[in-house]
Amino acid sequence: MASLGIEAEQEPLLGDHTPGSREGDIIETEEHYKSRWRSIRILYLTMFLSSVGFSIVIMSIWPYLQKIDETADASFLGWVIASFSLGQMVASPIFGLWSNYRPRKEPLIVSIFISVAANCLYAYVHLPASHNKYYMLVARGLVGFGAGNVAVVRSYIAGATSLQERTGSMANTSACQALGFILGPVFQTCFALIGEKGVTWDTIKLQINMYTAPVLLGAFLGILNIILILAILREHRVDDSGRQCKSINFEEASPDEVQDPQGNIDQVAVASTNVLFFVVLFIFALFETIVTPLTMDMYAWTREQAVLYGGIILAALGVEAVIIFMGIKLLSKKIGERAILLGGLIVVWVGFFILLPWGNQFPKIQWQDLRNNSIPNTTFGEIIITLWKSPRDDHNEGPTGCPIEQAWCLYTPMIHVAQFLTSAVLIGIGYPSCNVMSYTLYSKILGPKPQGVYMGWLTASGSAARILGPVFISQVYTSWGPRWAFSLVCGLVVLTITLLGVVYRRLIAFSVRRGRIPE
């Protein structure tokens, strides 16, 4: 017999877990312990593959869309990008509800199968004689629908870990997700060597090129993930102390298992955490969106420079996030999750405050209109185009700088490179801290009861934030400039910090609130 005194916060990502010493009556067999952590690691992999499936094509969607359908414009591109988050927003509560009443294998396998089928559809969107862009829209929406299994993954991990293990497990999950977002574009870059023409498999009319190879890899990884889930994943659920709980998801009930504790969930704390999580993802989504157009306007970078340097910056932030996720596991033991969440929001506020323009140096003005060199239009898709527009599309880069169509360029001081880089580093520290603490606190507030539906709503709020963040920044930045845009973001963060202060004492674990475990 082995007990569960595991210090998950001190363990490396995907590292080996060994049972600790006895803590009270928290007892777990060696076999059950190993099975539980094997299942959790499989879901770490599922989270990683889900992130790769999203990011592996993100840099090639625009040129592929132009290739398959000449009628596609920038506005439609915005819908294609948003369709992933829309699909995930719809699916998350559905899969979450499903996982509450049935074995978690079912929604996981179905959702991954949907993603595999959607990736295959994406590889064939060039075949129809017309309306190809709508097939791409459907394909990306279905990939997002399949990604709704994030709610199932997090609810499983929350239910299969004790309070002591929860922060470390959630940090590992977020780190795997971040790694997926980092490595996806790297894989895409490797596939670019295949070229646009590639090779054609005439028997099944499949074109394998730089646009379709990434999704075919995603489909293959999805099939592999399904096999691993079928072979390894088992249903496990423990209470906040680590004792096995009875659940409809268990095939057999054990005499040692305990019933769900009675008591109502603090709905104020639940709603507040949803709002906090929405704001955190909203802010980071708008920052990711504005990096390329902001640097082009402020530093007169060409499209090639903006995409290259912006990609390096975002990749560096991804690596920084993984490091932060690992460090949080140690820090949370010393100061607690709520303090880290508050500190993360303060760091984010400082980051955006530093971005406010000051001084008497102004950006270079672009007097000649250059379509797509900045964001003179207000559609979401036209902002995203700057990330895909290849410098080879026209041999003359044309004029650079802040376009005269944006009137604020004439009177708004430039944001210095040192300002921008300092801000990026701070936001790269604050965002991952807030992200993982939001998930951790949320799961602890909900307690040992099935969390599928609640995790579904939290995931849906994050999806909505990823849709609305780019739309917000496109409108405000284009019309009023960075001073107003970042001032409003600072104000939003202040309101969020105020909300956290109001509900601070309520953001405690279910068992702590019920007096079963000391805080």
Side-chain angles (χ1 to χ4, degrees):
M1 302 291 288
S3 29
L4 198 63
I6 180 175
E7 300 292 341
E9 293 83 352
Q10 297 181 357
E11 295 162 358
L13 178 64
L14 303 180
D16 293 331
H17 301 263
T18 56
S21 58
R22 177 181 298 272
E23 284 189 8
D25 61 347
I26 306 175
I27 298 175
E28 184 179 41
T29 65
E30 183 80 18
E31 180 182 358
H32 182 276
Y33 175 86
K34 290 182 176 179
S35 174
R36 182 164 65 91
W37 281 102
R38 278 197 300 268
S39 298
I40 291 173
R41 292 188 189 111
I42 286 298
L43 295 184
Y44 289 162
L45 177 64
T46 300
M47 183 68 81
F48 171 78
L49 295 179
S50 176
S51 299
V52 170
F54 168 74
S55 61
I56 199 170
V57 298
I58 202 68
M59 297 299 293
S60 64
I61 288 181
W62 175 235
Y64 190 37
L65 182 60
Q66 288 181 309
K67 180 181 178 181
I68 64 171
D69 196 327
E70 295 180 354
T71 66
D73 57 11
S75 177
F76 193 83
L77 172 66
W79 284 107
V80 173
I81 300 300
S83 64
F84 180 94
S85 295
L86 285 170
Q88 188 179 51
M89 184 171 64
V90 172
S92 296
I94 297 174
F95 288 133
L97 179 64
W98 188 350
S99 71
N100 274 3
Y101 296 100
R102 298 289 300 169
R104 266 71 66 93
K105 281 185 179 180
E106 293 180 7
L108 284 171
I109 291 172
V110 169
S111 61
I112 296 171
F113 179 80
I114 291 173
S115 294
V116 170
N119 280 327
C120 293
L121 173 62
Y122 187 93
Y124 280 99
V125 294
H126 64 280
L127 278 184
S130 61
H131 301 100
N132 305 75
K133 62 183 182 181
Y134 295 107
Y135 288 99
M136 179 181 282
L137 179 69
V138 171
R140 291 302 296 170
L142 287 175
V143 171
F145 193 90
N149 61 16
V150 169
V152 182
V153 170
R154 292 197 182 271
S155 66
Y156 180 99
I157 293 174
T161 53
S162 65
L163 284 183
Q164 190 178 14
E165 301 166 323
R166 190 77 47 78
T167 302
S169 299
M170 286 296 180
N172 287 347
T173 306
S174 296
C176 288
Q177 189 175 32
L179 279 173
F181 285 127
I182 294 169
L183 295 180
V186 175
F187 294 149
Q188 168 70 74
T189 302
C190 295
F191 285 121
L193 299 174
I194 301 175
E196 283 195 335
K197 187 175 181 181
V199 296
T200 302
W201 190 350
D202 293 326
T203 305
I204 57 176
K205 297 182 179 180
L206 175 64
Q207 290 184 1
I208 303 176
N209 54 36
M210 60 183 291
Y211 303 125
T212 60
V215 294
L216 294 175
L217 174 63
F220 171 77
L221 294 176
I223 294 172
L224 178 63
N225 196 8
I226 290 175
I227 294 172
L228 291 173
I229 287 175
L230 287 171
I232 299 176
L233 185 69
R234 298 293 181 266
E235 296 293 342
H236 294 287
R237 188 156 162 257
V238 299
D239 66 8
D240 286 347
S241 298
R243 294 172 297 179
Q244 298 181 50
C245 286
K246 225 175 190 182
S247 169
I248 191 170
N249 294 317
F250 276 95
E251 288 83 1
E252 296 181 5
S254 166
D256 295 330
E257 291 170 354
V258 297
Q259 297 288 342
D260 275 335
Q262 298 300 312
N264 295 323
I265 296 172
D266 187 346
Q267 297 296 338
V268 173
V270 168
S272 300
T273 310
N274 270 279
V275 173
L276 293 170
F277 186 69
F278 174 89
V279 173
V280 169
L281 265 69
F282 178 89
I283 289 172
F284 191 72
L286 67 84
F287 179 75
E288 284 184 311
T289 301
I290 205 61
V291 165
T292 299
L294 177 68
T295 54
M296 293 174 70
D297 289 346
M298 290 292 151
Y299 315 127
W301 286 355
T302 63
R303 285 188 296 268
E304 183 178 24
Q305 291 174 320
V307 171
L308 174 61
Y309 300 151
I312 293 173
I313 290 169
L314 292 178
L317 292 184
V319 174
E320 181 186 12
V322 173
I323 296 172
I324 295 298
F325 287 139
M326 296 300 97
I328 277 176
K329 297 196 292 184
L330 295 172
L331 186 60
S332 64
K333 294 187 63 182
K334 299 183 181 299
I335 65 174
E337 289 90 357
R338 293 178 296 179
I340 293 177
L341 178 58
L342 176 60
L345 286 172
I346 293 173
V347 171
V348 168
W349 181 86
V350 173
F352 277 99
F353 183 80
I354 290 175
L355 267 182
L356 293 176
W358 58 273
N360 53 12
Q361 186 177 353
F362 295 87
K364 173 187 173 183
I365 301 298
Q366 177 195 137
W367 294 100
Q368 178 181 340
D369 179 33
L370 179 63
R371 183 170 56 91
N372 290 337
N373 192 51
S374 184
I375 53 171
N377 297 309
T378 57
T379 63
F380 171 43
E382 286 171 336
I383 302 173
I384 303 300
I385 283 177
T386 60
L387 298 176
W388 289 276
K389 183 75 172 176
S390 170
R392 292 173 295 184
D393 290 345
D394 57 64
H395 300 288
N396 180 18
E397 282 286 348
T400 58
C402 201
I404 191 62
E405 290 83 2
Q406 296 174 165
W408 55 263
C409 293
L410 297 174
Y411 56 82
T412 302
M414 73 175 296
I415 298 171
H416 298 273
V417 175
Q419 279 181 268
F420 176 73
L421 294 178
T422 303
S423 172
V425 170
L426 291 174
I427 293 172
I429 294 172
Y431 165 71
S433 303
C434 296
N435 180 285
V436 70
M437 288 303 104
S438 298
Y439 270 119
T440 303
L441 285 169
Y442 193 68
S443 66
K444 290 185 175 182
I445 290 167
L446 297 176
K449 296 185 177 183
Q451 299 186 6
V453 174
Y454 284 103
M455 282 293 179
W457 288 118
L458 189 69
T459 304
S461 69
S463 299
R466 287 195 297 272
I467 296 170
L468 297 177
V471 173
F472 167 84
I473 199 66
S474 70
Q475 297 292 333
V476 178
Y477 178 84
T478 303
S479 301
W480 298 337
R483 178 172 286 162
W484 271 100
F486 300 140
S487 294
L488 289 174
V489 172
C490 287
L492 177 63
V493 176
V494 168
L495 291 177
T496 307
I497 292 173
T498 303
L499 171 63
L500 177 58
V502 171
V503 300
Y504 193 87
R505 293 184 178 275
R506 305 187 74 142
L507 302 183
I508 57 176
F510 178 89
S511 296
V512 173
R513 186 169 62 89
R514 303 298 299 177
R516 296 185 177 92
I517 295 179
E519 186 171 6

